[in-house]
Amino acid sequence: MSGFTKEFIKGLITSNPIFVLALGLCPALATTTSLENALGLSAAVTFVLLASSTMISLIRKFIPGTVRIPVFIIIIATFVTVANMLFQAYIPTIYNALGIYLPLIVAYCIVLGRAEAFASKNKVSRSIADALGIGIGFTLALILIASIREILGTGGISIFGNDLFTLPGLGDNPIYIFILPAGAFLVVGLLLALFRWTGVTKNG
Amino acid sequence: MKFDHLKKIYPTALLTLAIIISVSLLVISGGITQAVLESRQDQETLELLQGIFPKTAFYYFDTDTEIYTLYNSSRSEIGHAFYGEGIGFNPRMVIIIGLEDKETIKDIIVTSQRETRWYWNRLVNSDFFDQFKELRIEDCVLKRYNNDGKVDGITGATISCMGVVNIVRKAALEKMELLN
């Protein structure tokens, strides 16, 4: 397996940011009330991860250790602001639904963590693979959590105003707790336990 | 010696450069997205105005008087519209008011309000807002407070009704003077 593929796969499963590293749990809990919101936030996080990791890896040899964190923050904040502007202009529905969680990406430990732990120490191709793997791993985790919460909490799934499906029976009597914060903790906790138990996310 | 000096200012110079590049990138992105935002805002305003004057094809906004002048597709003036704001049961309620001529209200649309939902639904589910269609500005008074008034309030939501009537009347009288 090539180095690129290895780094990519690692982010998807054995270093999955939500189910293994337990990074970015706050947005995972807050924005997964619907699949639409989860996709929007995941797209923004993946974009910021990819752009900032590539940039940091490119200039890593020129960044002195004393100012590395401020430089990383400037780079991350720039890409977060760009993502914020793009969302506001082109997908206002998701921009409004995500609210404060979109600009807050700048403070996600997952983004700064990958910049500090990986991109600042590795060459560009490996950093891109790592960012893509972590970004897509984050996306898959959010899709899984949001799907479960939306199906159980509303009785079906709808994206951009189109009803994908409605579960017979549950559509009329949804279990509202799943779209409330308590439901988020329940779903994430049960999924974490399930993955640990089955050994899917076991490191190495 | 000279090299040491350069080494000392290098981190600061790098940080400054990073900030300059960041700001430049944001200015470029802002320029691109601002045009899209303004275009969408124009479209939203047009759709809102069409809710009062369905034949509106385009509008002109006077920044001094804050009055929209509306035109149909054959470029004839069909009316005016403007925002009014004030307090209902809770602050702050914003209403767009359309004037058919300088004395008659065409219709109104409440664009934002923070009234108690239960009371507000009583207004929405009644014909309260229909009373403003083709209403003369001088008649825009609650019947309960003035026999000359032509607007019936909704029992149980009187303060919200009064808020709407007051906002519409105050804004219409102010703008009518500017139009004259």
Side-chain angles (χ1 to χ4, degrees), chain A residues 62 64 74 78 82 88-90 92, chain B residues 10 14-15 19 22 36-37 40:
Chain A
F62 305 102
I74 289 169
T78 306
V82 169
Q88 190 182 12
Y90 297 104
Chain B
Y10 177 69
L14 185 83
L15 260 180
I19 291 168
S22 163
V36 179
L37 284 174
R40 197 175 63 236

Side-chain angles (χ1 to χ4, degrees), chain A residues 15-116:
Chain A
S15 290
N16 186 287
I18 301 290
F19 296 128
V20 180
L21 303 178
L23 291 175
L25 276 178
C26 173
L29 296 170
T31 62
T32 50
T33 48
S34 72
L35 185 58
E36 194 176 291
N37 292 353
L39 286 172
L41 186 77
S42 307
V45 169
T46 308
F47 164 74
V48 173
L49 259 169
L50 189 61
S52 59
S53 287
T54 308
M55 183 59 72
I56 288 165
S57 183
L58 267 172
I59 61 167
R60 69 187 187 282
K61 287 175 185 164
F62 305 102
I63 307 173
T66 48
V67 291
R68 71 182 195 288
I69 298 294
V71 172
F72 295 166
I73 294 286
I74 289 169
I75 292 171
I76 293 166
T78 306
F79 288 116
V80 170
T81 314
V82 169
N84 200 46
M85 286 171 171
L86 293 174
F87 270 61
Q88 190 182 12
Y90 297 104
I91 28 179
T93 330
I94 294 187
Y95 172 81
N96 291 329
L98 290 178
I100 191 67
Y101 290 99
L102 198 53
L104 263 184
I105 294 173
V106 77
Y108 285 6
C109 40
I110 183 179
V111 185
L112 186 61
R114 293 327 287 173
E116 168 72 356

Side-chain angles (χ1 to χ4, degrees), chain A residues 32-38 143-160 162-165 167 170 174-175 178-179 187:
Chain A
T32 50
T33 48
S34 72
L35 185 58
E36 194 176 291
N37 292 353
I143 287 175
L144 183 62
I145 299 166
S147 302
I148 294 171
R149 290 184 68 194
E150 193 174 349
I151 291 170
L152 296 176
T154 65
I157 285 189
S158 63
I159 292 185
F160 304 114
N162 303 311
D163 285 337
L164 289 188
F165 70 88
L167 276 185
L170 202 60
I175 313 163
F178 282 101
I179 51 168
V187 173

Side-chain angles (χ1 to χ4, degrees), chain B residues 27-43:
Chain B
V27 168
I28 294 168
S29 308
I32 296 167
T33 54
Q34 192 61 32
V36 179
L37 284 174
E38 280 172 9
S39 152
R40 197 175 63 236
Q41 200 175 2
D42 279 350
Q43 186 58 34

